[in-house]
């Protein structure tokens, strides 16, 4: 033994690495670090900081893409981001210098010593790898003034896709998407259903493009009510033009039933909500989770329901709309809606589409005008769609919206299911009044550290890129 040797020959990297800080995809990738234990993770952070200082001519984004494309992902993970190279190095060294007493505390996100989990620009996580996520698209309610305008102004895949959505909407609306999002004078606001729904569709479709450019490959898509239009567009079942047609013309027809009804969310399971709804002549509009149901119908009946809820100490919330979606009220616009959507030509999509109308997977080629009428008329069974995704093995869910609306219902449903290992992870993209590139980078970092797989556009690795910092362990007695 000991007489053999091995020589590994490896091709040298070809060409120069990209210099653009935003990278080939237009999305800034954080430094993605991982290790089998806390010590290895900290050692890796120190090695990467040294590498950045040793090679100042390599852009930080190029180094981040080298790490993302050439290093195995282990249980302990950290994502480090910064506004410039100096800030990145400072934060990497801060991570390397953290003092943790146990890997268990670090895995739980508990800050000890110098404050693991509290470092600015550093997102931590530990646990199993979850793989590819389902992208979740909510219905109305995620909007806020100037939502994602800062992300638009900073360019990149989001801005590019939003510009395409703007052009796709132009034949169907009388307002300008960018001007509406900015809140320019003379433009309609989000109080109009025929404005807020197309605007939300465009923002959600564009956020999905940003996630995909960052390296997320969706396992499936699912939507809630009008969010299904965005899900179908992202899946490829609807072209951008057809998606714009469906969301714009359908929301305009909804104006015809506005002022005649409304919706109320009840903190009740479906069975109890059905009993209460029948008492007041209301219909079940949406089943969001085992603990949340929405009813729909005449405004005066909803007023009576509110009094009953207060009397019986039941939690409820009046949805801020003046029309009764997902009820018989919608039948009044069936014929004009089918006529308006007759040109829609769906196809089998590139991604699996899970329907909250049927509660399971649906072929994209079936998403014709009739489907979009039924989507508006019948009950949204988001709970069943979530259960179907879980049974298909999906363990990570990213809500693609300007503000999380479905994260809680998704968690409530998943918590009632039996899982063979760790609980699934439900994540958001942006939050109200927080919608710039830093916020998206934080969402991206959070997703990766929680176990979501990222495959950003790679950069050929540098021959001196830090390798894994193996942690030596003694297996013999040191006693003299």
């Amino acid at each position: 033994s000991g007489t053999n040797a091995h020589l590994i020959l490896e091709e040298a990297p070809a060409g120069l690495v990209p210099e653009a800080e935003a990278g080939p995809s237009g999305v800034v990738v954080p430094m993605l670090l991982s290790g089998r234990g806390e010590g290895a993770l900290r050692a890796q952070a120190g090695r990467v900081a040294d590498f950045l200082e040793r090679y100042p001519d390599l852009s930080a984004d190029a180094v981040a893409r080298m790490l993302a494309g050439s290093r195995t992902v282990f249980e302990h993970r950290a994502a480090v981001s910064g506004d410039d190279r100096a800030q990145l190095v400072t934060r990497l060294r801060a991570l390397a210098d953290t003092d943790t007493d146990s890997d268990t505390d670090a895995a739980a996100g508990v800050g000890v010593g110098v404050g693991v989990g509290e470092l600015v620009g550093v997102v931590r996580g530990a646990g199993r790898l979850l793989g590819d996520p389902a992208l979740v698209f909510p219905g109305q309610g995620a909007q806020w003034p100037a939502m994602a305008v800062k992300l638009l102004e900073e360019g990149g895949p989001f801005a590019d896709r939003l510009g395409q959505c703007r052009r796709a909407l132009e034949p169907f609306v009388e307002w300008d998407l960018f001007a509406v999002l900015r809140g320019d004078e003379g433009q309609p606001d989000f109080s109009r259903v025929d404005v807020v729904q197309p605007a939300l569709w465009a923002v959600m479709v564009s956020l999905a493009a940003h996630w995909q450019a960052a390296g997320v490959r969706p396992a499936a898509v699912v939507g809630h009510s009008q969010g299904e239009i965005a899900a179908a567009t992202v899946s490829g079942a609807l072209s951008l033009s057809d998606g714009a047609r469906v969301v714009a013309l359908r929301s305009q027809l909804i104006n015809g039933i506005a002022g005649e009804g409304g919706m109320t969310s009840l903190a009740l399971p479906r069975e109890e909500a059905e009993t209460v709804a029948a008492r007041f002549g209301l219909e079940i509009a949406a089943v969001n989770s085992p603990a949340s149901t929405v009813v729909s119908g005449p405004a005066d009946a909803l007023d009576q329901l509110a009094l009953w809820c207060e009397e019986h100490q039941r939690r409820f919330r009046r949805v801020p709309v003046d029309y009764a979606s997902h009820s018989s009220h919608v039948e009044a616009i069936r014929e004009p809606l089918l006529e308006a959507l007759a040109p829609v030509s769906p196809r089998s999509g590139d991604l699996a589409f899970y329907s909250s109308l049927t509660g399971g997977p649906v072929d994209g080629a079936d998403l014709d005008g009739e489907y979009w009428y039924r989507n508006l008329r019948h009950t949204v069974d988001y709970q069943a769609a979530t259960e179907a995704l879980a049974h298909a093995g999906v363990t990570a869910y990213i809500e693609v919206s300007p503000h999380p609306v479905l994260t809680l219902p998704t968690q409530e449903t998943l918590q009632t299911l039996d899982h063979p290992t760790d609980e699934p992870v439900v994540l958001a993209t942006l939050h109200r009044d927080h919608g710039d590139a830093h916020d998206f980078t934080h969402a991206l970092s959070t997703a990766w550290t929680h176990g979501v797989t990222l495959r950003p556009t790679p950069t050929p690795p540098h021959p001196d890129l830090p390798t894994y910092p193996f942690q030596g362990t003694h297996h013999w007695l040191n006693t003299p």
Side-chain angles (χ1 to χ4, degrees), residues 237-238 246 338 341-342 344-347 363-375:
L238 293 182
V246 173
L338 293 178
L341 302 187
V344 173
S345 301
R347 67 176 184 85
D363 191 315
D366 296 331
L367 305 182
D368 57 7
E370 176 65 30
Y371 179 90
W372 298 113
Y373 165 72
R374 293 191 296 122
N375 162 277

Side-chain angles (χ1 to χ4, degrees), residues 147 182 198 283 294 315 318 334 361 370 378 380 386 434:
M147 57 181 177
R182 290 193 299 260
E283 301 174 54
V294 180
R315 289 192 295 116
R318 192 73 170 257
R334 181 180 186 275
E370 176 65 30
H378 296 295
V380 177
T386 304
H434 294 277

Side-chain angles (χ1 to χ4, degrees), residues 297-316:
D300 57 349
L302 294 174
D303 292 337
Q304 296 175 33
L305 171 65
L307 294 174
W308 181 89
C309 288
E310 291 172 351
E311 179 183 351
H312 292 80
Q313 297 183 334
R314 296 289 195 272
R315 289 192 295 116
F316 73 97

Side-chain angles (χ1 to χ4, degrees), residues 140 191-194 197 250-263 297-299 320-325 327 329-333 376:
Q140 203 166 322
S191 64
R192 283 174 45 179
V193 63
D194 60 326
Q197 289 196 1
R250 196 179 77 164
S251 61
Q252 290 166 15
L253 287 170
I254 291 175
N255 275 327
I257 58 174
E260 299 179 2
M263 306 169 76
V321 297
D322 62 350
Y323 52 89
S325 284
S327 76
H329 285 217
V330 174
E331 294 172 4
I333 63 172
L376 182 64

Side-chain angles (χ1 to χ4, degrees), residues 144-429:
W144 47 276
M147 57 181 177
V149 167
K150 291 181 179 179
L151 197 58
L152 167 64
E153 293 171 346
E154 291 166 358
F158 175 82
D160 293 342
R161 190 61 164 165
L162 198 66
Q164 296 170 6
C165 291
R166 178 194 198 183
R167 292 187 290 274
L169 286 169
E170 284 177 351
F172 309 110
V173 301
E174 297 178 351
W175 40 267
D176 178 74
L177 175 63
F178 287 8
V180 164
L181 292 176
R182 290 193 299 260
D184 291 352
E185 185 176 355
Q187 293 293 323
D189 59 27
F190 294 154
S191 64
R192 283 174 45 179
V193 63
D194 60 326
V195 174
V196 66
Q197 289 196 1
L200 274 173
W201 168 82
V203 168
M204 292 191 295
V205 167
S206 302
L207 285 175
H210 213 65
W211 275 109
Q212 290 172 296
V216 168
R217 295 181 186 174
V221 296
V222 63
H224 184 292
S225 189
Q226 73 131 79
E228 282 205 292
I229 307 173
T233 306
V234 172
S235 76
L238 293 182
S239 67
L240 206 61
S241 177
D242 278 348
R245 174 184 291 274
V246 173
V247 73
L249 299 187
R250 196 179 77 164
S251 61
Q252 290 166 15
L253 287 170
I254 291 175
N255 275 327
I257 58 174
E260 299 179 2
M263 306 169 76
T264 293
S265 177
L266 301 173
L268 294 173
R270 179 172 189 158
E271 293 75 12
E272 292 184 41
E274 286 176 336
T275 301
V276 175
R279 181 188 186 101
F280 299 101
L282 299 167
E283 301 174 54
I284 300 298
V287 181
N288 293 335
S289 76
S292 176
T293 307
V294 180
V295 296
S296 182
D300 57 349
L302 294 174
D303 292 337
Q304 296 175 33
L305 171 65
L307 294 174
W308 181 89
C309 288
E310 291 172 351
E311 179 183 351
H312 292 80
Q313 297 183 334
R314 296 289 195 272
R315 289 192 295 116
F316 73 97
R317 180 181 64 84
R318 192 73 170 257
V319 180
V321 297
D322 62 350
Y323 52 89
S325 284
H326 311 291
S327 76
S328 55
H329 285 217
V330 174
E331 294 172 4
I333 63 172
R334 181 180 186 275
E335 295 307 320
L337 179 58
L338 293 178
E339 181 180 354
L341 302 187
V344 173
S345 301
R347 67 176 184 85
S348 296
D350 303 315
L351 302 174
F353 178 89
Y354 277 70
S355 168
S356 57
L357 175 64
T358 67
V362 169
D363 191 315
D366 296 331
L367 305 182
D368 57 7
E370 176 65 30
Y371 179 90
W372 298 113
Y373 165 72
R374 293 191 296 122
N375 162 277
L376 182 64
R377 165 62 182 88
H378 296 295
T379 301
V380 177
D381 201 343
Y382 179 71
Q383 177 185 336
T386 304
E387 291 172 345
L389 282 164
H391 292 147
V394 175
T395 53
Y397 302 78
I398 298 177
E399 181 173 340
V400 183
S401 66
H403 185 77
V405 174
L406 291 178
T407 53
L408 180 58
T410 305
Q411 290 169 339
E412 290 175 339
T413 298
L414 295 172
Q415 287 167 0
T416 65
L417 305 178
D418 293 329
H419 302 288
T421 53
D422 297 342
E423 290 292 317
V425 170
V426 184
L427 304 167
T429 300

